[in-house]
Amino acid sequence: MSCQSVADAIGYWKFADGLEKRVLEYGFCRERTWEKVVGDPEAWEQAVFEGREGYVPGQNPVVGKTLSHFSNFDLQKVGEMLELPGFGTPAPGESWTKQEVS
């Protein structure tokens, strides 16, 4: 997953056996616009996108359309739901944890 918080952009890529299984690219070249969608919707997507104009549960986002009210908070939520390093509350000693010096 890749995020660009200034432009509210997100890229999610999932591969299996060297093949694209799920790709979501949003806002990298055209601000707040779906640019590429591959594969079937995953369970986490409904929790993140539901209730926003342009999202229909169980259906893929439409390339070229905008998703209303997508923000940095949503990017953080995606990372937490997928339990990706660098998102959520770090466990002590994790490599991405900033340790305070006393």
Side-chain angles (χ1 to χ4, degrees), residues 2 5 23 26 29 44 48-49 53 62 72 81 83 89 95:
S2 174
S5 61
V23 176
Y26 177 84
C29 297
W44 63 267
V48 173
F49 302 133
E53 182 181 335
V62 177
N72 297 346
M81 292 179 74
E83 299 179 354
T89 304
S95 61

Side-chain angles (χ1 to χ4, degrees), residues 49-61:
F49 302 133
E50 189 169 34
R52 291 173 169 78
E53 182 181 335
Y55 174 75
V56 178
Q59 293 185 10
N60 274 323

Side-chain angles (χ1 to χ4, degrees), residues 2 4 7 22 25 35 39 58 69 72 74 79 81 84-85 89-90 93 101:
S2 174
Q4 183 184 25
R22 186 64 171 156
E25 294 180 4
E35 297 167 355
H69 309 292
N72 297 346
D74 298 300
M81 292 179 74
L84 298 176
T89 304
V101 178

Side-chain angles (χ1 to χ4, degrees), residues 5 10 12 19 22 31 35 40 66 75 79 89 94 97:
S5 61
I10 184 172
Y12 174 75
L19 301 173
R22 186 64 171 156
E31 188 173 357
E35 297 167 355
D40 296 321
T66 297
L75 301 177
T89 304
E94 285 188 307
T97 304

